[in-house]
């Protein structure tokens, strides 16, 4: 059974892999035998994160990318190609949630920024790296969604819309690319302790409200949610596609 989760000989690209949940997934992939590429906007963050993968040294690399920019995604793809790095596990993890406000107080520029990163960014990476997976005969794509893709959250219209879009992109693309041996799944996280949630989880009332609303009664650590990505990347999930796996402490069960 252990072999089912083995990622030896596979190469995983994790966007937003320099910190937070992305780095936790990158570490889990490396620990299960994969070569890992971490990518994000901030090169300093990436270069500080890379050594944490080194205990499983297989030539892991870190490269800059802005997933909201199709040219930047194409440049990353070309750079990896020139280094003979061929991605067969793509984790579309890069995401932002900078804005908590009712829609009437939301600047359309904030909407654009969130949709461009969280939804169009997933599309750019799927198009660019998926084309190589089609040529290569298969792969696994994991799109990082949220409970916000399954249920509404107050004052989070752009974020919920972006993650709802990721959910539907995932299902539709799974249908299109099943014939190419590419599985496309999503993971919908609940509240996980990262830079993204630091201010809300440490807020006395909001943090307590979110913990009490979560059946397991707490937010998750990033390292304890990374196993879901190993499952969806590996042969353990060979018959799973078009699925959204809720890793949310029970939030969407109620
Ligand atoms: N934390 C939670 O409770 C939670 C819950 C549900 C879903 N999620 C989702 O999980 C994913 C990771 O979240 P997190 O909590 O780990 O957030 P985080 O700690 O804020 O990390 C976000 C990552 O995305 C990268 N990123 C942001 N915009 C980017 C862009 N345009 N191009 C490339 N990389 C970009 C960041 O790197 P740079 O700044 O260096 O670019 C960073 O590595 C997101 O999609 C988020 O929506 C998180």
């Amino acid at each position: 059974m252990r072999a089912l989760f083995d990622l030896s000989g596979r190469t995983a690209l994790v966007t937003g892999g320099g910190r937070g949940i992305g780095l936790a997934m990158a570490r889990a992939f490396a620990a299960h035998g994969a070569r890992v590429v971490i990518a994000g906007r901030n090169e300093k963050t990436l270069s500080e994160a890379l050594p944490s993968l080194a205990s499983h040294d297989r030539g892991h690399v870190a490269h800059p990318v802005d997933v909201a920019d199709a040219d930047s995604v194409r440049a990353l793809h070309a750079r990896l190609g020139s280094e003979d790095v061929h991605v067969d596990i793509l984790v579309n993890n890069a995401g932002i949630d900078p804005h908590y406000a009712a829609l009437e107080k939301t600047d359309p520029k904030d909407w654009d920024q969130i949709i461009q990163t969280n939804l169009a960014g997933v599309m750019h990476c799927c198009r660019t790296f998926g084309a190589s997976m089609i040529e290569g005969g298969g792969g696994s794509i994991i799109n990082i969604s949220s409970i916000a893709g399954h249920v509404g959250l107050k004052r989070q219209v752009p974020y919920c819309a972006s993650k709802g879009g990721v959910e539907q992109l995932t299902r539709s693309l799974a249908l299109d690319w099943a014939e190419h041996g590419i599985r496309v799944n999503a993971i919908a996280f609940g509240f996980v302790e990262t830079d993204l949630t630091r201010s809300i989880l440490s807020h006395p009332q909001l943090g307590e409200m979110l913990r009490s609303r979560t059946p397991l009664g707490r937010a998750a650590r990033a390292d304890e949610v990374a196993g879901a990505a190993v499952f969806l990347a590996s042969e353990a999930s060979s018959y799973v596609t078009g699925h959204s796996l809720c890793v949310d402490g029970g939030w969407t069960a109620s």
Side-chain angles (χ1 to χ4, degrees):
M1 288 297 283
R2 286 174 77 103
L4 283 177
F5 296 90
D6 185 14
L7 299 176
S8 301
R10 314 277 295 280
T11 297
L13 165 61
V14 184
T15 67
R19 57 191 168 93
I21 301 170
L23 180 56
M25 293 189 288
R27 286 182 179 142
F29 289 147
H32 282 77
R35 181 184 195 186
V36 179
V37 181
I38 54 174
R41 293 167 302 179
N42 188 319
E43 295 198 48
K44 185 165 177 282
T45 304
L46 293 172
S47 61
E48 285 170 2
L50 196 58
S52 73
L53 306 173
S55 58
H56 310 278
D57 193 6
R58 279 174 218 97
H60 308 305
V61 290
H63 289 316
V65 73
D66 178 353
V67 298
D69 176 355
D71 289 340
S72 176
V73 173
R74 278 193 289 270
L76 173 64
H77 181 260
R79 183 168 180 179
L80 291 173
S82 73
E83 294 169 356
D84 211 24
V85 177
H86 300 285
V87 171
D88 40 30
I89 299 164
L90 168 64
V91 185
N92 287 308
N93 165 77
I96 55 170
D97 188 12
H99 186 73
Y100 291 74
L103 188 64
E104 70 275 17
K105 294 180 181 148
T106 299
D107 188 320
K109 284 186 190 145
D110 292 323
W111 165 277
D112 288 344
Q113 187 196 14
I114 293 170
I115 296 292
Q116 279 307 316
T117 304
N118 294 5
L119 180 54
V122 174
M123 179 271 293
H124 292 318
C125 291
C126 286
R127 282 193 82 232
T128 303
F129 287 91
S132 302
M133 288 183 184
I134 290 171
E135 276 174 30
S140 174
I141 297 176
I142 302 167
N143 296 326
I144 299 307
S145 177
S146 164
I147 54 174
H150 288 252
V151 297
L153 298 177
K154 284 189 84 169
R155 290 183 286 281
Q156 293 273 279
V157 168
Y159 186 74
C160 288
S162 72
K163 293 301 187 181
V166 168
E167 293 283 333
Q168 281 297 77
L169 182 157
T170 299
R171 292 185 189 102
S172 187
L173 193 57
L175 302 184
D176 283 354
W177 286 356
E179 66 185 278
H180 299 297
I182 302 171
R183 296 185 297 107
V184 188
N185 292 291
I187 304 176
F189 290 121
F191 285 88
V192 184
E193 293 165 356
T194 67
D195 296 342
L196 192 79
T197 52
R198 181 158 294 118
S199 63
I200 193 164
L201 289 174
S202 61
H203 186 281
Q205 286 87 37
L206 283 176
E208 189 43 40
M209 184 274 287
L210 295 175
R211 280 183 281 277
S212 63
R213 167 74 180 74
T214 304
L216 288 183
R218 62 181 178 84
R221 299 183 318 276
D223 63 345
E224 71 177 310
V225 299
V230 174
F231 168 66
L232 288 175
S234 69
E235 283 306 295
S237 62
S238 58
Y239 201 56
V240 181
T241 196
H243 182 64
S244 178
L245 177 56
C246 291
V247 181
D248 64 357
W251 185 288
T252 51
S254 62

